[in-house]
Amino acid sequence: MKDVLVVSTGGAYDEKRFACAENFARHFGGFVRVVVTNEISPAQIVVTDPAIQMVPIDDELRKESLAKGEELRDKALERFAALPQPVSVVLINEVMAYLGESVVEFARLSDIFITTIPTDSTKAELMKAVIDQALVNGGCGILCLPHGATSQPIFNHIVIAWDGSRAASRAVVRAMPLLEIAKKVSVLLVDPPLRRAGEQYHPGDGLLAKLAHNGISAELMRVTSDHLGTAKAITTEVGRVNADLLVMGAQAEGGLRQWLQGSVSRKVLADAKLPLFIAH
């Protein structure tokens, strides 16, 4: 994972994201790209029957907003000044509606995007907008850090939640550098179909073979969700084996809002106490 992307919002969780990005860059000898997102106010809309006029925001207010962006960029440059790996700090001054789209071009050129989980705290809406675009249109793997959790590149036990979907396959491919150096890897199937009579193939065997081709010896765990539901079954089993990273696909064709409203990956994220690596 040579290209590590991290976003600065000027919020309370910047340092957690920065520290994780630094750890990954040091381990893989990679390149850190810090995108400083500075939200600026859009032009004011004034409706006068029958016309709609766009009134520019006050020049002084705009200057203050731009100066804030410069300050955030300088802080990021200072934060990573001692890192021996190369660091690029890019400042984006944009209205909220387009900040996520501006970050996408950097996500498409990155191996991993490191972020924290948006909550109701300050800058949460901004992070949701950025993650939305990165997940749906960025193409890179996203490492989501729950609040209170920290992350190093080497994990003691990685669990892959596998359902054979395109998203799950992409997540495995994107997470392969982490899987290759993990101390232990398990493949978890929830409510897998039974083996067909007369056949030797079991669901999950193909992924085990794929991992073996990359020098990874993984164990297969098959469980039933029973009354728990798929998401709860995943988090329960992950907790049982004391895993410290969960890899899974995110079905998000409708964007982060759809993802937040009920997908299995979102429900897992809401209940997880460990980092989650997702891809779409």
Side-chain angles (χ1 to χ4, degrees):
M1 293 186 170
K2 295 292 187 180
D3 292 285
V4 181
L5 174 65
V6 64
V7 167
S8 168
T9 64
Y13 300 106
D14 272 5
E15 179 52 35
K16 173 178 285 190
R17 296 189 289 267
F18 288 170
C20 185
E22 181 175 5
N23 290 337
F24 273 67
R26 287 183 183 277
H27 181 84
F28 290 105
F31 174 86
V32 177
R33 181 177 287 105
V34 184
V35 177
V36 178
T37 55
N38 183 42
E39 182 186 356
I40 59 175
S41 299
Q44 298 175 353
I45 300 177
V46 179
V47 180
T48 57
D49 191 24
I52 298 178
Q53 299 178 349
M54 301 293 290
V55 179
I57 61 174
D58 181 79
D59 284 344
E60 288 301 319
L61 183 61
R62 181 176 180 81
K63 289 178 180 179
E64 290 179 9
S65 180
L66 295 176
K68 179 182 177 182
E70 296 288 342
E71 181 182 351
L72 290 175
R73 183 183 62 184
D74 291 344
K75 287 183 177 180
L77 286 168
E78 182 179 358
R79 167 62 178 80
F80 287 95
L83 188 66
Q85 281 69 40
V87 178
S88 170
V89 178
V90 179
L91 171 61
I92 298 178
N93 295 301
E94 189 56 271
V95 297
M96 171 72 79
Y98 297 107
L99 273 173
E101 295 180 9
S102 299
V103 174
V104 163
E105 63 176 286
F106 300 104
R108 289 174 177 166
L109 299 174
S110 301
D111 299 320
I112 184 172
F113 172 33
I114 295 175
T115 185
T116 47
I117 306 304
T119 65
D120 294 333
S121 62
T122 304
K123 305 296 182 180
E125 287 302 317
L126 174 56
M127 285 308 302
K128 287 179 183 178
V130 170
I131 296 173
D132 184 0
Q133 289 294 328
L135 178 64
V136 179
N137 298 313
C140 63
I142 302 178
L143 179 64
C144 303
L145 303 174
H147 299 299
T150 57
S151 182
Q152 297 283 343
I154 300 179
F155 295 92
N156 291 316
H157 189 181
I158 298 178
V159 171
I160 303 170
W162 181 250
D163 61 2
S165 66
R166 170 189 174 278
S169 299
R170 183 176 290 273
V172 169
V173 170
R174 291 298 188 185
M176 195 61 72
L178 301 178
L179 296 167
E180 290 174 342
I181 61 175
K183 296 180 180 179
K184 183 178 181 179
V185 175
S186 298
V187 176
L188 173 62
L189 283 77
V190 178
D191 298 325
L194 296 175
R195 175 180 59 83
R196 292 182 179 179
E199 293 185 356
Q200 295 183 351
Y201 177 81
H202 290 78
D205 285 351
L207 178 56
L208 293 182
K210 166 67 176 178
L211 295 172
H213 294 161
N214 287 271
I216 303 168
S217 178
E219 67 172 3
L220 196 61
M221 304 189 299
R222 298 185 180 93
V223 301
T224 177
S225 62
D226 198 17
H227 64 284
L228 296 175
T230 302
K232 187 63 175 179
I234 291 173
T235 57
T236 299
E237 192 66 8
V238 165
R240 183 189 71 82
V241 300
N242 198 30
D244 50 5
L245 178 67
L246 176 62
V247 174
M248 67 185 304
Q251 302 294 340
E253 286 79 2
L256 188 66
R257 293 188 183 279
Q258 172 200 333
W259 186 57
L260 290 175
Q261 288 174 354
S263 71
V264 170
S265 55
R266 177 61 185 96
K267 292 177 181 177
V268 167
L269 188 58
D271 196 32
K273 302 297 187 293
L274 77 168
L276 179 66
F277 187 98
I278 59 175
H280 168 60

